[in-house]
Amino acid sequence: MIKFVARFLLHRIGIAIVNQYINDQLKIMSAKKVSKIAVLTSGGDSPGMNAAIRAVVRTSIYHGLQVFGVSRGYNGMIDDDIFEMYSRSVGNIIQRGGTILKTARSAQFFETEGRKIAYENLKKRGIDGIVVIGGDGSFKGAQKFSNEFDIPCIGIPGTIDKDIAGSDFTIGFDTAVNTAVEAIDKIRDTADAHDRLFVVEVMGRDAGYIALHSGIATGAENILIPETKTDMEAMIASLTEKEKRKKLVNLIVVAEGDEFGGGTEVGNYIKEKLPNADVRVCILGHIQRGGSPSCLDRLIASRMGYHAVECLINGTHNVMVGIEDNKMKYTPLDNAVKAKQKISEEWMRIVKILAS
Ligand code: F6P
C-alpha cells in the first residue's frame, strides 16, 4: 500500500515538474523578444546603485543585447540623454557610492506629455526593455509607462529606506544603517562624557527601518518611527524614572517622518518637559546616503541586476526583482508600489525590554 502511494505521488510530482518546464519554455518562446535595454537610476540615490548598473550592463552584453544608460532618471528619457554602454563603461564602479548615471525625481514623467516624449526617444533607438533602479515613486512611473506603451519594465529596489514590499532588502539600506550606527556610536561617546541626552534624527520620510535597525544596534532608549503611534508622555515618564535612577545618558533615535515630528521637535519637547536634562539634537542627514556600499549591498545589487535582465529575456515582465529568504522573488510592479513592509512586533518588544 505504502509503495503504491509513494509511486502515485512520485508520478504526480513528475507530471507537475514537466508541466512547469513546458509552461516556462512556452513563456520564453511567446515573450516579446527584447534586444535593446535601457537602464536608469531614479529617486534618491543609494549606495550600491552602481553595482546594480554594472550587473545590468554586463549581463545584457553577455546575452548579446545592446544596452543604453539614461542620465538623471526619467528626465534623461525626456531630454534624450541616452547613450550606449559597454562592458568598460562600468569598470571600477562596484565600490563607489552615488550613481554614475545620476538620478532625479522627475515631475515631467508624471505628465502624459512627458511620458510620450520619453517613449518617442526610446522608440527611435529601438529600445524595447527598461530596468529602473529606484524606490516606489520610480516604480509608479515605470508601471504607468509600461501600461501606456508596449515596453516592459523591470524594477530593482534601490533606496536606503527599505520600504518596499516584496524584498527583504533594498539596495543601500545596509550601508545607510551601518553609517548611522557608526555615527550614533560616536555620539554615545560624547553623550557619555557629558551625561547628556541625545536625540538623533535619521532618514526615513515614511519608513522607520533605518531608525529601528540603527536604534537597536546602538542600544537606544527610545526609537520613534512613522509606523507606530508615538506616545511622548510615556517617553517623558520613562525618562523621568531613569533620571531618578541616575541614568543620565540617553539616546533617542527618531525617523525624520515620525508623526510627532523630526529630531528638532522631539528635542524641543523634551527640553520643555525636562528642564534639568542636558539635551542635544543631531540630524545625521545625507551622510546616510553616501559612501562605499557594504558587501551585502554590492551582493544584492549584483544579483538583482543580473536577474532583472534575465526577466526581460525570459518574459517575466513588469515585475520588481526582490530577494526574500535569500531567494529571488518577482513581485508585479503594481503590488510593489502599493504595499509596505511590516514592522515586526517582536522587534518593537525587544526595543522596550532592552531599553531599561
Ligand atoms: O527616499 C530616500 C530618502 O533618503 C528619504 O529617507 C529622505 O526623506 C529623502 O530621501 C530625502 O530626499 P532629498 O535628498 O531629496 O532631500
Side-chain angles (χ1 to χ4, degrees):
M1 179 64 180
I2 293 172
K3 263 192 190 163
F4 173 76
V5 173
R7 243 189 242 137
F8 176 74
L9 285 176
L10 280 174
H11 178 68
R12 296 308 286 255
I13 292 167
I15 291 177
I17 291 171
V18 171
N19 273 343
Q20 182 63 46
Y21 177 77
I22 292 172
N23 283 341
D24 287 349
Q25 292 308 308
L26 284 176
K27 203 166 93 183
I28 292 171
M29 280 157 62
S30 62
K32 199 172 151 264
K33 215 171 152 7
V34 170
S35 61
K36 295 186 183 188
I37 292 180
V39 58
L40 59 112
T41 47
S42 164
D45 63 320
S46 65
M49 279 184 161
N50 281 328
I53 297 168
R54 173 180 177 269
V56 170
V57 169
R58 293 204 171 155
T59 308
S60 301
I61 290 169
Y62 171 81
H63 284 294
L65 310 179
Q66 227 179 331
V67 58
F68 294 84
V70 181
S71 277
R72 295 170 296 105
Y74 294 116
N75 283 345
M77 264 161 75
I78 296 167
D79 301 340
D80 206 15
D81 200 348
I82 302 170
F83 48 90
E84 189 164 358
M85 295 183 86
Y86 307 93
S87 198
R88 294 285 28 98
S89 323
V90 290
N92 197 22
I93 65 165
I94 194 167
Q95 78 285 11
R96 283 168 54 191
T99 156
I100 59 161
L101 292 177
K102 298 196 179 287
T103 185
R105 295 189 175 95
S106 173
Q108 251 183 306
F109 196 74
F110 280 86
E111 309 286 329
T112 314
E113 196 46 38
R115 290 194 297 279
K116 265 194 198 148
I117 300 171
Y119 174 67
E120 291 306 325
N121 286 332
L122 297 181
K123 202 171 84 175
K124 73 182 181 203
R125 291 183 176 81
I127 292 170
D128 45 17
I130 304 172
V131 177
V132 179
I133 306 164
D136 64 340
S138 311
F139 295 163
K140 273 183 202 142
Q143 185 198 10
K144 262 205 155 101
F145 190 74
S146 62
N147 286 344
E148 283 168 353
F149 305 102
D150 195 18
I151 298 191
C153 296
I154 305 293
I156 294 181
T159 161
I160 63 165
D161 289 346
K162 198 176 99 75
D163 58 345
I164 299 174
S167 190
D168 293 339
F169 307 102
T170 59
I171 297 169
F173 173 73
D174 184 61
T175 310
V177 155
N178 279 298
T179 302
V181 165
E182 205 184 320
I184 299 171
D185 281 348
K186 288 176 178 161
I187 290 169
R188 188 181 271 286
D189 287 346
T190 173
D192 188 57
H194 287 267
D195 282 341
R196 276 180 173 154
L197 184 157
F198 260 89
V199 177
V200 184
E201 180 188 297
V202 295
M203 274 189 164
R205 203 167 18 208
D206 307 308
Y209 284 98
I210 299 178
L212 190 58
H213 286 234
S214 63
I216 293 178
T218 54
E221 271 63 38
N222 283 84
I223 301 173
L224 312 183
I225 55 176
E227 293 88 341
T228 58
K229 181 123 196 50
T230 297
D231 186 346
M232 290 300 276
E233 277 175 32
M235 189 176 83
I236 295 295
S238 124
L239 289 172
T240 311
E241 183 269 327
K242 282 175 183 150
E243 205 176 19
K244 281 190 193 134
R245 286 197 271 129
K246 297 268 175 283
K247 185 177 191 298
L248 302 175
V249 180
N250 286 292
L251 280 178
I252 294 166
V253 176
V254 49
E256 63 176 325
D258 184 69
E259 93 223 11
F260 184 82
T264 309
E265 289 79 14
V266 172
N268 287 342
Y269 184 85
I270 298 173
K271 279 180 205 164
E272 188 193 314
K273 299 285 172 188
L274 300 174
N276 292 335
D278 195 2
V279 181
R280 293 290 186 277
V281 174
C282 180
I283 297 173
L284 296 189
H286 286 80
I287 63 160
Q288 295 159 95
R289 283 243 294 261
S292 180
S294 67
C295 173
L296 179 65
D297 278 330
R298 297 179 199 193
L299 196 61
I300 63 168
S302 302
R303 289 176 75 190
M304 288 174 178
Y306 163 83
H307 282 284
V309 176
E310 295 284 324
C311 280
L312 281 174
I313 293 171
N314 70 25
T316 313
H317 290 169
N318 303 326
V319 294
M320 181 196 80
V321 175
I323 298 177
E324 270 187 5
D325 298 328
N326 203 25
K327 289 187 195 76
M328 301 316 293
K329 178 167 177 187
Y330 306 103
T331 306
L333 279 178
D334 262 345
N335 302 351
V337 299
K338 274 183 212 135
K340 294 268 176 214
Q341 291 185 5
K342 284 210 176 71
I343 293 283
S344 149
E345 281 173 23
E346 178 213 350
W347 283 43
M348 292 312 290
R349 203 173 134 70
I350 289 175
V351 173
K352 261 206 179 125
I353 291 173
L354 301 191
S356 58

